[in-house]
Amino acid sequence: AGLPCTLAAAEGPVGGGGRCRVCLCLLCGLPAAGKSTLGRALRRRLPRRPGWACALFSYDQLIPPEAFGPGQPGAGPRPEEASPLLPPWKRSRRELLQCLERLLRALLTGEPLSGPSGGGQAGWERFLACCRRQELLGPGGGIGGAGTLAATAGPLYLILDDNFYYQSMRYEVYQLARKYSLSFCQLFLDCPLECCLQRNCLRSHPVPDQTICLMARKIEMPDVKKNAWERNSLVLKSLDCALEDEYRIISLLATALENPVKQNEENPEEKEADRAICAVSAIHQADGACRRIVSQAMKDAKDKNLPPSEMKSLAEELNKLKAEFLEDLRRGNNWKNQICTEKPHSAPPAGVTSAFQQEAINVVNKYILK
């Protein structure tokens, strides 16, 4: 099912402007909600509008399956996220965002499109191949090397097809739009879980049902009242794509294009969103750090030949201490003054986890020095 043909017959190009105008449009929702179907329809139809261009970037195609490993693919934060070495799936998402930023810089400045100097070359080649298939690259472009971008006559919509089930995932792309004063919008497909599970079973490579169910419990729909930056969002209840839905989509895309994100826009709600995302990320990292401290403490106690019964009691006490410690952080006990307010992915300050480490050492010594 695609968008009705009347999509191409809507009004002509919106506005003018000197440089290439770009809109980042996110397709969000559970696996098998219909995002890829809608994305392909937009890819076909939008270029039929005078002056409009469109490119579709599917995360499923740009992130290799092996990046997810034996665990549940993209089903939410896992303990290893706290490690200095990011898990492959998260590292791939970050590299993909960096590829997108290189493309944006080339579009906006007219400079050659160049690849990464360090790692991430395989991901860059996949991204570049995707650009070539959609004729975003001119004749001078080369896989993995410098290239020139094909000329774009009018507004360019870059559609990103992914689950984007956490608000923080979407906010990363919004920050990119804000950095370059681009337009930003979201199309959220609100498909019932049962329907997604049925559709998923028909896929040649289905996602594990438990992954979809976990995402359904964790998914965060756009909330304009809470997040002003999500104001250009549209929730679609089905893929029937009635005429009303079609015009709502076009209206959203046109409105977003005419209202790019201001680079230096001061918005208290967005600042609060920055702080909230920062706190969640830092707490995840603190949790991982505490797990490692507990593991090391148990190893030290085992080396001291503590009997099994006391090892069990020690483990229970350390885990209780960890739970209380993290709960204090979540409640903001002197925590908000210590975490970052500008960088959502910063690690927790060393003093925070070192305080827990000292408490853990005291508990271990209580057993060892009996």
Side-chain angles (χ1 to χ4, degrees), residues 77-94:
R78 296 177 291 186
E80 63 266 33
E81 277 195 49
S83 170
L85 297 176
L86 290 173
W89 69 269
K90 189 169 186 180
R91 186 167 62 250
S92 294
R93 288 184 64 92
R94 191 159 296 179

Side-chain angles (χ1 to χ4, degrees), residues 25-346:
C25 177
L26 307 189
L27 299 185
C28 322
L30 294 176
K35 301 182 299 298
S36 297
T37 300
L38 177 58
R40 289 191 296 268
L42 291 171
R43 174 74 182 94
R44 291 192 306 269
R45 305 297 187 186
L46 290 185
R48 298 182 186 180
R49 288 174 53 83
W52 280 27
C54 176
L56 175 64
F57 296 96
S58 170
Y59 278 48
D60 285 346
Q61 296 177 10
L62 293 172
I63 298 179
E66 57 266 24
F68 298 109
Q72 300 173 348
R78 296 177 291 186
E80 63 266 33
E81 277 195 49
S83 170
L85 297 176
L86 290 173
W89 69 269
K90 189 169 186 180
R91 186 167 62 250
S92 294
R93 288 184 64 92
R94 191 159 296 179
E95 289 174 354
L96 181 50
L97 203 62
Q98 292 168 351
C99 290
L100 180 62
E101 183 168 9
R102 292 190 193 99
L103 174 66
L104 292 172
R105 280 201 301 264
L107 280 169
L108 300 174
T109 65
E111 297 175 357
L113 180 63
S114 58
S117 56
Q121 191 66 31
W124 173 244
E125 291 179 358
R126 284 190 297 271
F127 182 83
L128 205 57
C130 180
C131 291
R132 185 180 298 282
R133 286 194 299 270
Q134 300 182 85
E135 300 181 347
L136 278 177
L137 291 181
I143 298 298
T148 57
L149 288 166
T152 53
L156 173 62
Y157 287 90
L158 300 181
I159 299 175
L160 309 185
D161 172 10
D162 185 44
N163 301 305
F164 289 114
Y165 59 100
Y166 277 141
Q167 171 252 324
S168 58
M169 294 175 171
R170 306 192 295 269
Y171 190 69
E172 285 181 334
V173 182
Y174 171 81
Q175 286 179 309
L176 197 56
R178 183 172 61 185
K179 180 177 180 179
Y180 293 99
S181 297
L182 308 178
S183 301
F184 174 86
C185 63
Q186 302 176 144
L187 294 172
F188 191 98
L189 275 67
D190 185 16
C191 185
L193 174 60
E194 295 75 15
C195 181
C196 290
L197 292 173
Q198 291 173 3
R199 291 177 180 175
N200 180 61
C201 291
L202 302 177
R203 289 177 160 183
S204 56
H205 300 287
V207 176
D209 283 356
Q210 60 183 3
T211 297
I212 299 179
C213 292
L214 180 57
M215 283 189 184
R217 291 197 297 270
K218 293 177 175 289
I219 200 163
E220 298 171 350
M221 296 180 65
D223 188 343
V224 180
K225 292 182 178 178
K226 180 180 178 182
N227 305 314
W229 60 270
E230 293 194 287
R231 56 186 173 271
N232 287 328
S233 300
L234 178 60
V235 176
L236 300 172
K237 291 295 183 180
S238 70
L239 263 188
D240 295 339
C241 209
L243 190 61
E244 180 184 354
D245 288 334
E246 174 192 342
Y247 284 116
R248 291 169 67 202
I249 292 173
I250 288 295
S251 177
L252 176 73
L253 294 175
T255 298
L257 187 66
E258 286 300 320
N259 297 277
V261 182
K262 295 179 181 179
Q263 194 171 41
N264 299 318
E265 190 174 55
E266 290 292 334
N267 190 310
E269 293 176 345
E270 289 173 13
K271 283 188 174 182
E272 183 59 33
D274 276 331
R275 285 192 289 268
I277 292 170
C278 177
V280 170
S281 178
I283 290 172
H284 279 313
Q285 293 182 64
D287 178 55
C290 289
R291 287 174 186 269
R292 291 191 293 273
I293 291 170
V294 168
S295 177
Q296 183 61 46
M298 292 298 296
K299 182 178 181 301
D300 293 343
K302 185 177 180 181
D303 290 344
K304 297 296 183 179
N305 298 316
L306 283 184
S309 60
E310 293 197 9
M311 287 290 292
K312 180 179 178 182
S313 298
L314 174 61
E316 291 174 352
E317 192 167 345
L318 286 173
N319 283 319
K320 181 181 178 182
L321 178 67
K322 178 174 75 72
E324 293 173 349
F325 181 78
L326 293 174
E327 183 60 26
D328 281 343
L329 296 187
R330 292 188 185 95
R331 291 179 177 178
N333 293 350
N334 297 322
W335 173 243
K336 290 185 178 178
N337 294 328
Q338 299 178 62
I339 64 172
C340 64
T341 57
E342 297 296 333
K343 298 179 180 179
H345 301 288
S346 293

